[in-house]
Amino acid sequence: MIKLGVTGGIGSGKSVVCEVLRLHGIPVFDADREAKKLNETSPVIREKLINNFGPDLYLNDRLDRKKLASLIFNNKENLRTTNAIIHPELAKHFVKWADQRKHYAVVAIDAAVLFEAGFQSLLDKTIIVLAPLETRIERAVKRDHLSKEQVMARASSQMKDEEKARLADFTIHNDGRHSLLEQVEQILQEVSTLC
């Protein structure tokens, strides 16, 4: 089984690339969605978050996401602590998820913080989806109903595209001038030789 990682900055179109992978019959692990579930269900995450940030972080057995966001926004130490709690549990969850899909030739993970979280060590190949910053801002403003400033703040908190591109095995250009489908298919052809 080949494990692919797909990453890209906010509004880059990595989720669209993951949809194309799904259309090719490849199961995709949505790291963001799975992390949200784990924050609610993992006793390890709950205990460590409470130990670091206090019992009022969970209300009625649910993580108070707004409170956590306020604790980590503009506080690099709190963000580092939170990531150090969540990312290892999420990595274990992904490994278990992939093991349950051993009958597939290829599986993928959709993760905005793929390199930051060290997930590439669990993968065979990685893909970065790149798009011009203005395009990314427009997409994210439309999709997430955020202000341009909010999108810029999120984009600046992520690892720079150039750095991710150096680390990635494949690059997909989602700029409206290159066919996403053709780029994904070319990557899948190369990956199929590894199976």
Side-chain angles (χ1 to χ4, degrees):
M1 171 198 284
I2 300 297
K3 297 183 190 90
L4 283 179
V6 182
T7 193
I10 187 169
S12 64
K14 70 180 175 52
S15 298
V16 176
V17 167
C18 288
E19 278 308 311
V20 174
L21 292 176
R22 286 184 183 101
L23 291 173
H24 279 83
I26 296 170
V28 179
F29 180 93
D30 183 329
D32 192 41
R33 186 178 303 139
E34 295 299 324
K36 284 176 181 157
K37 284 187 208 169
L38 278 178
N39 290 343
E40 302 293 342
T41 60
S42 166
V44 173
I45 291 175
R46 177 185 296 248
E47 182 183 334
K48 289 181 178 178
L49 285 177
I50 286 171
N51 286 346
N52 280 280
F53 302 116
D56 59 340
L57 196 58
Y58 282 82
L59 293 171
N60 301 324
D61 245 13
R62 298 188 65 91
L63 176 67
D64 184 343
R65 288 199 184 112
K66 284 186 178 170
K67 182 170 179 70
L68 182 61
S70 72
L71 290 168
I72 62 178
F73 188 71
N74 286 336
N75 186 321
K76 286 187 175 166
E77 192 52 45
N78 284 352
L79 177 60
R80 237 188 317 274
T81 299
T82 302
N83 287 341
I85 292 167
I86 296 169
H87 291 161
E89 293 304 308
L90 187 59
K92 285 181 203 167
H93 189 55
F94 169 69
V95 168
K96 196 157 113 184
W97 176 91
D99 283 345
Q100 293 166 347
R101 286 155 183 82
K102 278 188 176 160
H103 53 288
Y104 286 93
V106 180
V107 297
I109 180 173
D110 172 350
V113 294
L114 190 137
F115 294 114
E116 297 91 326
F119 294 153
Q120 74 275 16
S121 65
L122 307 170
L123 305 169
D124 299 294
K125 294 291 177 185
T126 55
I127 301 167
I128 177 149
V129 183
L130 298 176
L133 184 59
E134 276 308 310
T135 305
R136 289 172 50 198
I137 292 167
E138 273 176 46
R139 288 177 187 155
V141 165
K142 235 181 256 180
R143 180 192 68 204
D144 302 333
H145 309 290
L146 299 170
S147 70
K148 184 176 178 177
E149 292 72 27
Q150 288 171 307
V151 174
M152 291 291 292
R154 288 187 187 183
S156 67
S157 74
Q158 295 177 334
M159 184 188 283
K160 300 288 175 247
D161 282 350
E162 301 76 31
E163 201 174 336
K164 285 184 181 183
R166 277 196 301 275
L167 296 170
D169 296 298
F170 300 104
T171 301
I172 289 179
H173 296 280
N174 187 15
D175 54 10
R177 295 196 310 267
H178 299 83
S179 165
L180 271 186
L181 290 172
E182 284 176 17
Q183 291 178 84
V184 171
E185 281 166 15
Q186 188 175 351
I187 290 169
L188 291 179
Q189 281 176 359
E190 286 188 47
V191 166
S192 70
T193 64
L194 305 171
C195 295

